[in-house]
Amino acid sequence: MRDQSKIEPKTLGRRIIEGDRLALARGLTRVENRTPEGRELLDFLFHQTGSAVRIGLTGPPGSGKSTLVSWLARKFRERGHQVGILAIDPTSPFTGGAILGDRIRMGDLAGDAGVFIRSMATRGHQGGLSATTYEASEVLEAAGFDRIIIETVGVGQSELEIASAADTTLVILVPESGDAIQVMKAGVMEIGDIFVVNKYDRQGGDHLLKEIHAILDLSPPDRHDFWKPMVLSTTASMGTGVDELMDAIQAHTESREFDETEREKIRRQKIRARMRLLLSGRLLDEAWSQILEVRLNEVLDRVVERSISPYAWIDGMVAEISRRGWQE
Amino acid sequence: MRDQSKIEPKTLGRRIIEGDRLALARGLTRVENRTPEGRELLDFLFHQTGSAVRIGLTGPPGSGKSTLVSWLARKFRERGHQVGILAIDPTSPFTGGAILGDRIRMGDLAGDAGVFIRSMATRGHQGGLSATTYEASEVLEAAGFDRIIIETVGVGQSELEIASAADTTLVILVPESGDAIQVMKAGVMEIGDIFVVNKYDRQGGDHLLKEIHAILDLSPPDRHDFWKPMVLSTTASMGTGVDELMDAIQAHTESREFDETEREKIRRQKIRARMRLLLSGRLLDEAWSQILEVRLNEVLDRVVERSISPYAWIDGMVAEISRRGWQE
């Protein structure tokens, strides 16, 4: 086993492209840790990317996302794809959140060289999460994975992030999430390409399905020029409805290939959104490590004893950085 | 009715302190919009703050947070407190997320001058959410509200944010949220001062209660020097268990007053966390509006056509800002 820790980015990149799994793991770590070497690596791999299909799954805890992910991975494998899985859901069995059972169900995937599973640690609230996730997906793509599944727990901000990273976004809901519709109204509605009522066999499944349809019928048509969101039902624990879901994902992928103008527009929006996230994260990381942490430590006592207001200090700090950055 | 739109911050601040509700609403809007006048206002009001008790409620959609908030507000009123409510939960009836029913139940609170309810819009992913929430709570405090209830939907990042803003954090769970324990393991565990099993009368209530106790018994003791998290059961729709919850909140408030060293340590941590959020948000807002938006627009075409990698460009941009900020 070669020591990859001191390998320079281009060499590591070449090994990743050749299919070296150890190099891939190492590269992902560098990217996740947002090191300068990680960025060089991404820069090197960038020209190998641009064609993989990214499928995002979001939904509340307990909606069975991980079981669906396993099914999708198996089905993609049957169709000859190489499958990368990025789990950024802290409750996912892929990331180690499950207590028992789930991890065992994933067992058959773990033994398949055409499947690569990576847990992503959730980071602070500096917008770094999805940026790193997308970067990781580019590394996977360069390593030959042409279907990348991103699983994230969804209520709130992470949804928008997954929508910016994924080509096809699945919103998973279950009958027992009583306020599903409220949640949907609060933003999920906007991002779902395919809505999945999982655990459909439970009480309320049919009712939820109808509610989703009703809300979609009310939504403004301008978003749906080339794709009308689909609503499907599954019982992932039994595999019921999974083939139909695969067909829907395929149909969504093809719909984008169909309309060149629309596809370019979407691509542009996504690239912009990702660059915003990346740049914001980098800027904060640098500013905090280079100057802000130290300066905050210096002023903290005075704020705690209320002799200076945090607002005045922050204004001054922002003004200073705007004038001269943070280098000596 | 006086026009408050052009009032300068100190005048507005004085009116807020005097109890002018229209000025209060105006001030909150300024703060929420993160205007320079809003920051001047906060700076002016800062010395009126520091003694209100902030109670945060977090939990999944459908856990009955809003009904509990209504009860807490009523009980605090009975005990002579002025109650401010900040709802940053997009599914809350306070913010308009509920379809029907809930808003009617809130009716009696709306008619009480000792209660002020404010919905906070959720913002983008630049860390602005909780910063603004805490700032809003300072405005409420300056206006005389000594008990401030912050309601937020909880799965993921918002929980850490509420914990940094609140003095006492309630985590609300319900029997039917099947993966409650997984969620708890994923971070909620760390932030709850009081765990509430709401809708306790439903099937599985007692089981959930025991599970929470079991997990708490396993948690490292160092966090609980002066407070062992409590676990209570309520059926908020009937008002059952609400008095016990009030007693627990009171006990938690008093426990902090008891141990001066611990209280100072916690205060310091919270102030630091809030300043981090505030400063990060401000920095990004300024940098994007002053330079980054324009520069990103200039480069976007070349990234879309893949003639330049986003990573190289971002590196250059960060280096430039680190050297000279963003002023002319």
Side-chain angles (χ1 to χ4, degrees):
Chain A
M1 197 186 287
R2 293 175 291 191
D3 177 17
Q4 314 259 9
S5 64
K6 292 176 201 79
I7 297 173
E8 66 98 28
K10 281 183 186 150
T11 311
L12 189 64
R14 271 188 290 269
R15 290 188 190 157
I16 289 171
I17 294 166
E18 286 161 10
D20 180 338
R21 290 289 178 265
L22 191 61
L24 173 57
R26 173 75 59 185
L28 285 168
T29 303
R30 286 194 187 177
V31 165
E32 260 200 282
N33 291 340
R34 296 190 275 184
T35 60
E37 293 76 20
R39 292 195 296 276
E40 267 187 74
L41 176 66
L42 286 165
D43 201 42
F44 179 78
L45 296 177
F46 180 69
H47 298 284
Q48 303 289 328
T49 64
S51 61
V53 175
R54 288 160 177 78
I55 295 119
L57 278 87
T58 188
S63 56
K65 292 183 296 298
S66 303
T67 312
L68 275 172
V69 169
S70 309
W71 275 111
L72 295 180
R74 280 191 203 101
K75 297 289 178 181
F76 278 129
R77 289 296 292 141
E78 286 172 18
R79 298 183 187 192
H81 294 289
Q82 304 284 100
V83 182
I85 299 174
L86 293 173
I88 48 173
D89 174 357
T91 70
S92 164
F94 296 120
T95 54
I99 294 175
L100 28 93
D102 283 328
R103 209 185 301 266
I104 294 153
R105 271 183 270 150
M106 311 295 158
D108 58 326
L109 289 180
D112 177 354
V115 175
F116 191 92
I117 301 172
R118 179 78 173 196
S119 323
M120 307 280 294
T122 51
R123 304 212 171 249
H125 21 57
Q126 295 188 356
L129 168 66
S130 71
T132 321
T133 306
Y134 189 83
E135 293 172 28
S137 80
E138 293 208 314
V139 180
L140 286 175
E141 181 174 1
F145 295 96
D146 60 335
R147 290 295 180 275
I148 294 160
I149 305 177
I150 304 167
E151 179 196 347
T152 183
V153 72
V155 177
Q157 308 190 337
S158 59
E159 289 153 350
L160 299 175
E161 299 182 353
I162 205 171
S164 90
D167 300 301
T168 300
T169 301
L170 315 187
V171 174
I172 319 297
L173 295 166
V174 278
E176 58 258 51
S177 55
D179 283 350
I181 301 300
Q182 290 187 21
V183 174
M184 290 178 64
K185 284 177 76 104
V188 185
M189 211 53 225
E190 311 299 324
I191 64 159
D193 299 308
I194 301 170
F195 292 87
V196 179
V197 176
N198 192 29
K199 305 188 182 178
Y200 180 67
D201 55 336
R202 297 202 184 168
Q203 201 191 348
D206 195 49
H207 181 68
L208 177 58
L209 204 69
K210 282 180 184 145
E211 277 187 297
I212 298 170
H213 274 296
I215 291 181
L216 286 173
D217 287 343
L218 292 172
S219 75
D222 66 311
R223 198 187 154 270
H224 312 315
D225 271 357
F226 76 112
W227 179 258
K228 186 173 151 34
M230 288 181 73
V231 188
L232 298 176
S233 58
T234 56
T235 303
S237 58
M238 320 276 285
T240 313
V242 173
D243 284 319
E244 290 77 2
L245 178 56
M246 285 294 291
D247 291 342
I249 292 168
Q250 183 62 23
H252 185 251
T253 303
E254 284 166 9
S255 78
R256 282 177 301 118
E257 284 160 8
F258 208 51
D259 185 333
E260 182 70 24
T261 322
E262 189 71 16
R263 189 180 59 179
E264 274 309 299
K265 205 179 94 190
I266 292 176
R267 248 173 64 77
R268 221 184 140 77
Q269 282 170 356
K270 293 197 183 214
I271 289 173
R272 172 194 286 276
R274 283 199 311 274
M275 288 180 75
R276 280 194 73 99
L277 276 173
L278 268 170
L279 180 48
S280 294
R282 278 291 308 288
L283 214 54
L284 288 181
D285 283 351
E286 298 271 326
W288 277 101
S289 64
Q290 295 301 313
I291 182 172
L292 298 180
E293 201 68 53
V294 171
R295 299 288 284 273
L296 177 56
N297 285 338
E298 285 167 4
V299 81
L300 195 58
D301 277 339
R302 278 179 293 153
V303 178
V304 171
E305 70 201 18
R306 307 186 80 75
S307 69
I308 180 172
S309 124
Y311 307 107
W313 179 77
I314 286 170
D315 268 355
M317 205 65 238
V318 172
E320 181 183 332
I321 287 184
S322 80
R323 274 195 317 270
R324 66 160 201 93
W326 53 78
Q327 289 191 355
E328 292 314 309
Chain B
M1 198 186 288
R2 294 174 289 189
D3 176 18
Q4 316 256 9
S5 63
K6 291 176 201 77
I7 296 172
E8 66 98 32
K10 282 185 184 147
T11 313
L12 189 65
R14 271 188 289 270
R15 289 189 191 157
I16 289 171
I17 293 166
E18 285 161 9
D20 180 338
R21 289 290 178 264
L22 191 61
L24 173 58
R26 172 76 59 185
L28 286 168
T29 301
R30 287 191 185 178
V31 166
E32 259 200 283
N33 292 340
R34 296 190 276 180
T35 61
E37 292 78 18
R39 290 195 297 275
E40 268 187 73
L41 177 65
L42 285 165
D43 200 42
F44 179 78
L45 296 176
F46 180 71
H47 299 284
Q48 302 290 327
T49 64
S51 61
V53 175
R54 289 160 177 79
I55 295 120
L57 277 87
T58 189
S63 56
K65 292 183 294 299
S66 303
T67 312
L68 275 172
V69 169
S70 307
W71 275 110
L72 295 180
R74 281 192 202 101
K75 297 288 177 180
F76 278 129
R77 290 294 293 137
E78 286 171 19
R79 298 181 188 194
H81 294 289
Q82 305 284 100
V83 182
I85 299 174
L86 292 173
I88 48 172
D89 175 357
T91 69
S92 165
F94 295 120
T95 55
I99 293 175
L100 29 90
D102 284 328
R103 209 184 303 265
I104 294 154
R105 272 184 268 149
M106 311 295 157
D108 57 326
L109 289 181
D112 176 354
V115 176
F116 191 92
I117 301 172
R118 178 77 174 196
S119 320
M120 306 282 292
T122 51
R123 305 211 171 247
H125 23 56
Q126 296 188 354
L129 168 67
S130 71
T132 322
T133 305
Y134 190 83
E135 293 173 27
S137 79
E138 292 209 314
V139 181
L140 286 174
E141 181 174 1
F145 296 96
D146 61 335
R147 289 294 180 277
I148 295 162
I149 305 177
I150 304 169
E151 179 195 348
T152 184
V153 71
V155 179
Q157 307 191 338
S158 59
E159 291 154 348
L160 299 177
E161 299 181 354
I162 205 173
S164 91
D167 299 301
T168 300
T169 301
L170 314 187
V171 173
I172 319 297
L173 295 166
V174 279
E176 59 257 52
S177 56
D179 283 352
I181 301 301
Q182 289 188 23
V183 174
M184 289 178 65
K185 283 180 75 105
V188 185
M189 211 52 225
E190 311 300 321
I191 64 161
D193 298 307
I194 301 169
F195 292 86
V196 180
V197 176
N198 193 28
K199 306 189 184 178
Y200 181 66
D201 55 337
R202 297 202 185 169
Q203 200 189 346
D206 195 48
H207 181 67
L208 177 57
L209 203 69
K210 282 178 186 149
E211 277 187 298
I212 298 170
H213 274 296
I215 290 181
L216 287 173
D217 287 342
L218 292 172
S219 75
D222 65 315
R223 200 187 151 270
H224 311 315
D225 273 357
F226 75 112
W227 178 256
K228 185 171 154 35
M230 288 181 73
V231 188
L232 299 176
S233 59
T234 57
T235 303
S237 58
M238 320 276 285
T240 314
V242 173
D243 284 320
E244 290 77 4
L245 178 55
M246 286 293 291
D247 291 342
I249 293 168
Q250 182 64 26
H252 185 251
T253 303
E254 284 166 9
S255 78
R256 282 178 302 118
E257 284 161 7
F258 208 52
D259 184 332
E260 181 71 24
T261 321
E262 189 69 17
R263 189 179 61 180
E264 274 310 297
K265 204 179 95 190
I266 292 175
R267 248 173 65 78
R268 221 181 138 79
Q269 283 170 354
K270 293 197 182 211
I271 288 173
R272 171 193 287 275
R274 283 200 310 275
M275 287 180 75
R276 280 194 75 97
L277 275 172
L278 268 169
L279 180 49
S280 294
R282 278 291 307 288
L283 215 53
L284 288 181
D285 284 351
E286 299 270 328
W288 277 101
S289 63
Q290 296 301 313
I291 181 172
L292 299 180
E293 201 69 54
V294 172
R295 299 288 285 273
L296 177 57
N297 286 338
E298 285 168 3
V299 81
L300 194 58
D301 277 337
R302 281 180 291 153
V303 177
V304 170
E305 69 200 20
R306 308 186 78 74
S307 70
I308 180 173
S309 123
Y311 307 107
W313 178 77
I314 286 169
D315 268 355
M317 203 66 238
V318 172
E320 181 183 331
I321 288 184
S322 80
R323 276 195 314 272
R324 65 161 200 92
W326 52 78
Q327 289 192 355
E328 292 313 308

